Amino acid sequence: MTTFRFESRPSLLSMATVAGPDEAKGPLGEKFDQVVPDLWVGQKSWEQAEQELLARAGQTLLVKENLTAADVDLMVGGDLLDQLVTTHFASRTLDIPTFGMFSACATLTASLAVAAMAVDAGYGQKVLVTVASHHHAAERQYRYPVELGIQKPATAQWTATGAAAFLIGKGGPVVVREATPGRVVDYGVKDPFDMGGAMAPAARDTLLRHLQDTGRTVKDYDAIFTGDLAAVGSTLFRDLLKEEGVQVEGIHHDCGLILYDRSSQKAVQAGGSGAACSGLVTAAHIIPGLLSGEWRRVLLLATGALHSPTTYRQGESIPCIAHGVVLERAEAP
Amino acid sequence: MTTFRFESRPSLLSMATVAGPDEAKGPLGEKFDQVVPDLWVGQKSWEQAEQELLARAGQTLLVKENLTAADVDLMVGGDLLDQLVTTHFASRTLDIPTFGMFSACATLTASLAVAAMAVDAGYGQKVLVTVASHHHAAERQYRYPVELGIQKPATAQWTATGAAAFLIGKGGPVVVREATPGRVVDYGVKDPFDMGGAMAPAARDTLLRHLQDTGRTVKDYDAIFTGDLAAVGSTLFRDLLKEEGVQVEGIHHDCGLILYDRSSQKAVQAGGSGAACSGLVTAAHIIPGLLSGEWRRVLLLATGALHSPTTYRQGESIPCIAHGVVLERAEAP
């Protein structure tokens, strides 16, 4: 039994997003709090630009809620860059005690789970959850500098540029009901241009364990969102589940397929990815759908690929993970 | 108020350590569960060697307690390598749901805090906390490959080779009483060969906030252990506290000065560091001291430097962090 059920009903009090120019052109473009016109964000390096995105998301949330840093007990979050420099450098500005988490693109749900635990264990404190990623910073670190113009196969995904911040506490309209931490699953995929395919088995593993732990079926969810399996991984995820007799067609959506319009934004290839991908979609699409009554209970299964450039060059496969979090409208039973 | 007090008394059920050859030659050499004769640990790369250390520490703990992976609900931990590959690759073998944490050498106390929260929120589950580091893997990633023979200044510290695993649950003899997450503190130090000096202000910040939150003075602790400030950072830490009117002479110890015998192990220069440093010292020295009755209440303040090789090359300073955890003998009031 590895699913944590949060009895004290930790919930979402507020959120804020800052999105890059490509994300602004996608279907959710109108729904972000702030959009930056270019990838520099007024900074001198991609790394500083990513920090600026995150600092702005955090500050936007504090301003929205009329809070100062001293009102927030803890910041939990992560990013894709080595040593989580985005999170930690931005945290200097935000000045909130910080736990850095790394599950690659699954960092959002790991952080939401820890925030919910902190609120559950700490009796009502306010915890800020943050994620960020930056297309150019991630490409240079993980693959090639974008300036080289290396062609990518159709299975490749587009690392989202943006940052999202969520404030978890007590009494908000969307409850973090349960969390199912993921196991590391490795199917031997070695291609860093096929993250969706590598991650799909991890998403399956966490979904099946979650259903077993909770005694539910997929029909008990109005929607199941994977983090960023994108086109290739989403198909594989549904096929893998079919083999287990679990049918998610119509219920399953993928954040990597929601953030961009693949028909007009062809550069994103198979779809979006990056720690900010599920962050932006959760804030601009999933939470609004829960608030509007479109859904009452959703399962968010952010997915992450856990290789490093070093392990890739050493010929290692790509271990993956998916952490699940159940979000419910506060009045749901 | 950023100190979490764990009312359900999460506690240490078991622990296990695997140490490298230099650590075995230090004062705690006899107290590790397992010692490896060389830095390869039977593997082909330093990265694989580090994974093997961690997998062995986890397996040793499970065997000691006659547990299988299925008995453990969650693994929380981290290491120094990019994308936490040590933790995540080892987790494939251990097969326990995993939250990767990164606070550099302060990862132990961040992970202990999250484990305590998980037990507190989850009503008695078993959570495995792990940390690992490897001298050669860390040096190559952060500074230079050891094989280059680059000379280091006397302020440099020695990244420990080893891994430590701790099982947190209910009913054990040492209680995780409180946790004070650290803020990111940056005094503008840019020298990656002076980590202790960079980290000392972060340790001061967390200690002062912890005392304010708990209403205690340093005299309420039998011992205060910093993670790995080593010789330079420890002196600075005590001097910085003196400026605040806080006297920790005689109470303050540093894991980086306990792990090695600097008089005979001159290569360690100012002392030990690395995520495994505070892990090995906690398991082989601090917990045994609590169990034997030498101390009743200790504050463990692991310290971490949060730069990356990229930010260093970009001329950025080194932000640092220290997370505090209070450990008490179970019968303490």
Side-chain angles (χ1 to χ4, degrees):
Chain A
M1 172 71 175
T2 55
T3 294
F4 292 85
R5 188 170 169 86
F6 304 114
E7 299 299 341
S8 76
R9 302 178 82 79
S11 52
L12 180 84
L13 304 180
S14 187
M15 56 190 180
T17 48
V18 180
D22 293 306
E23 294 65 29
K25 284 177 205 139
L28 305 179
E30 299 292 308
K31 297 190 176 169
F32 301 120
D33 290 296
Q34 198 182 132
V35 163
V36 295
D38 63 56
L39 290 180
W40 289 108
V41 203
Q43 305 299 310
K44 290 182 191 168
S45 70
W46 306 131
E47 288 75 14
Q48 288 175 341
E50 187 174 326
Q51 294 160 27
E52 177 66 16
L53 291 170
L54 182 52
R56 284 192 196 182
Q59 292 293 359
T60 302
L61 188 147
L62 294 178
V63 169
K64 258 189 198 183
E65 297 303 307
N66 199 20
L67 296 171
T68 67
D71 298 318
V72 181
D73 303 284
L74 182 65
M75 169 170 154
V76 182
D79 57 86
L80 299 182
L81 298 188
D82 299 341
Q83 285 73 54
L84 304 183
V85 287
T86 306
T87 303
H88 290 128
F89 278 69
S91 173
R92 280 189 311 196
T93 316
L94 294 170
D95 203 28
I96 299 167
T98 298
F99 283 158
M101 308 277 301
F102 182 78
S103 294
C105 308
T107 298
L108 173 66
T109 41
S111 302
L112 282 171
V114 169
M117 285 174 182
V119 170
D120 222 36
Y123 311 107
Q125 274 123 330
K126 288 188 177 67
V127 180
L128 185 69
V129 168
T130 64
V131 287
S133 53
H134 186 287
H135 185 76
H136 283 38
E139 287 298 318
R140 182 170 63 194
Q141 175 182 286
Y142 277 103
R143 286 166 285 254
Y144 303 101
V146 169
E147 295 86 340
L148 283 179
I150 303 279
Q151 285 219 331
K152 292 181 182 185
T155 54
Q157 294 176 224
W158 186 267
T159 305
T161 299
F166 302 86
L167 190 67
I168 306 298
K170 291 277 177 71
V174 172
V175 174
V176 185
R177 204 66 190 88
E178 288 140 2
T180 304
R183 290 193 294 200
V184 178
V185 174
D186 190 337
Y187 266 46
V189 172
K190 293 189 175 188
D191 180 359
F193 289 113
D194 182 15
M195 299 283 85
M199 296 188 294
R204 176 189 63 171
D205 183 73
T206 304
L207 175 60
L208 294 177
R209 289 192 302 110
H210 175 80
L211 295 176
Q212 189 173 20
D213 285 353
T214 56
R216 299 197 193 112
T217 72
V218 291
K219 290 197 175 62
D220 292 315
Y221 298 89
D222 299 311
I224 295 172
F225 292 90
T226 46
D228 47 6
L229 298 179
V232 180
S234 288
T235 305
L236 180 57
F237 173 66
R238 293 197 280 257
D239 288 350
L240 287 169
L241 285 170
K242 252 180 229 155
E243 287 175 12
E244 307 285 335
V246 176
Q247 176 67 255
V248 293
E249 310 273 346
I251 300 168
H252 172 239
H253 312 272
D254 184 72
C255 297
L257 294 172
I258 295 169
L259 186 59
Y260 303 105
D261 174 4
R262 289 173 66 227
S263 62
S264 67
Q265 299 183 289
K266 295 203 186 296
V268 306
Q269 307 246 44
S273 69
C277 179
S278 56
L280 292 173
V281 174
T282 298
H285 183 68
I286 300 174
I287 304 283
L290 285 161
L291 292 174
S292 74
E294 185 174 353
W295 308 303
R296 287 164 57 92
R297 177 192 284 152
V298 307
L299 174 63
L300 175 59
L301 269 174
T303 45
L306 301 169
H307 65 303
S308 79
T310 303
T311 61
Y312 166 66
R313 287 184 206 114
Q314 289 175 345
E316 304 271 11
S317 56
I318 299 176
C320 294
I321 203 159
H323 303 295
V325 163
V326 174
L327 300 174
E328 290 179 358
R329 288 186 65 187
E331 68 272 29
Chain B
M1 172 72 176
T2 55
T3 293
F4 292 85
R5 189 169 168 87
F6 304 115
E7 298 299 341
S8 76
R9 303 179 80 79
S11 52
L12 179 85
L13 304 178
S14 186
M15 57 190 180
T17 47
V18 180
D22 292 306
E23 293 66 28
K25 283 177 205 139
L28 305 178
E30 301 290 309
K31 296 190 175 168
F32 301 121
D33 289 297
Q34 201 183 128
V35 162
V36 294
D38 63 57
L39 290 181
W40 289 107
V41 202
Q43 306 299 310
K44 290 181 192 168
S45 70
W46 306 131
E47 288 75 14
Q48 288 174 340
E50 187 173 325
Q51 293 159 28
E52 177 67 15
L53 291 169
L54 181 53
R56 284 192 195 181
Q59 292 293 357
T60 301
L61 188 148
L62 294 178
V63 168
K64 259 189 197 182
E65 298 302 307
N66 199 20
L67 296 170
T68 66
D71 298 318
V72 181
D73 302 284
L74 182 64
M75 170 169 152
V76 182
D79 56 87
L80 298 182
L81 298 188
D82 298 342
Q83 284 72 55
L84 303 184
V85 288
T86 306
T87 303
H88 290 127
F89 278 70
S91 174
R92 281 191 309 200
T93 317
L94 294 170
D95 203 27
I96 299 167
T98 298
F99 283 157
M101 307 279 300
F102 181 78
S103 294
C105 308
T107 298
L108 173 67
T109 41
S111 302
L112 282 171
V114 169
M117 285 174 181
V119 169
D120 222 37
Y123 310 107
Q125 275 122 331
K126 288 187 177 69
V127 179
L128 185 68
V129 168
T130 63
V131 286
S133 54
H134 186 287
H135 185 75
H136 283 38
E139 287 297 320
R140 182 170 64 194
Q141 175 183 285
Y142 277 101
R143 284 166 286 253
Y144 304 102
V146 169
E147 296 85 343
L148 283 180
I150 304 279
Q151 284 218 332
K152 291 182 185 183
T155 54
Q157 294 177 224
W158 185 266
T159 305
T161 299
F166 302 86
L167 190 67
I168 307 297
K170 291 277 177 72
V174 172
V175 174
V176 185
R177 206 64 189 91
E178 288 140 2
T180 304
R183 291 193 294 198
V184 178
V185 174
D186 190 338
Y187 266 46
V189 172
K190 293 189 175 188
D191 180 0
F193 290 114
D194 181 15
M195 301 282 84
M199 296 188 294
R204 176 189 63 169
D205 184 73
T206 304
L207 175 60
L208 294 177
R209 288 193 302 110
H210 175 79
L211 295 176
Q212 188 173 20
D213 286 353
T214 57
R216 298 195 193 113
T217 72
V218 292
K219 290 197 173 61
D220 292 316
Y221 298 89
D222 299 311
I224 294 172
F225 292 90
T226 46
D228 46 6
L229 298 180
V232 180
S234 288
T235 304
L236 180 57
F237 173 65
R238 292 196 281 256
D239 287 349
L240 287 170
L241 286 170
K242 251 179 232 157
E243 288 174 12
E244 306 285 336
V246 176
Q247 176 66 257
V248 292
E249 309 275 346
I251 299 168
H252 171 239
H253 312 271
D254 185 73
C255 296
L257 294 172
I258 295 169
L259 187 58
Y260 303 104
D261 175 5
R262 289 171 68 225
S263 62
S264 66
Q265 299 183 290
K266 296 201 184 298
V268 306
Q269 307 246 44
S273 69
C277 179
S278 56
L280 292 173
V281 174
T282 298
H285 182 67
I286 301 175
I287 304 285
L290 285 161
L291 293 174
S292 74
E294 185 174 353
W295 308 303
R296 287 164 58 91
R297 178 192 284 152
V298 306
L299 174 63
L300 176 59
L301 268 175
T303 45
L306 301 169
H307 66 302
S308 78
T310 302
T311 61
Y312 166 66
R313 285 184 207 114
Q314 290 175 345
E316 303 271 11
S317 56
I318 300 176
C320 294
I321 203 160
H323 303 294
V325 163
V326 173
L327 301 174
E328 290 179 356
R329 290 186 64 189
E331 68 271 31

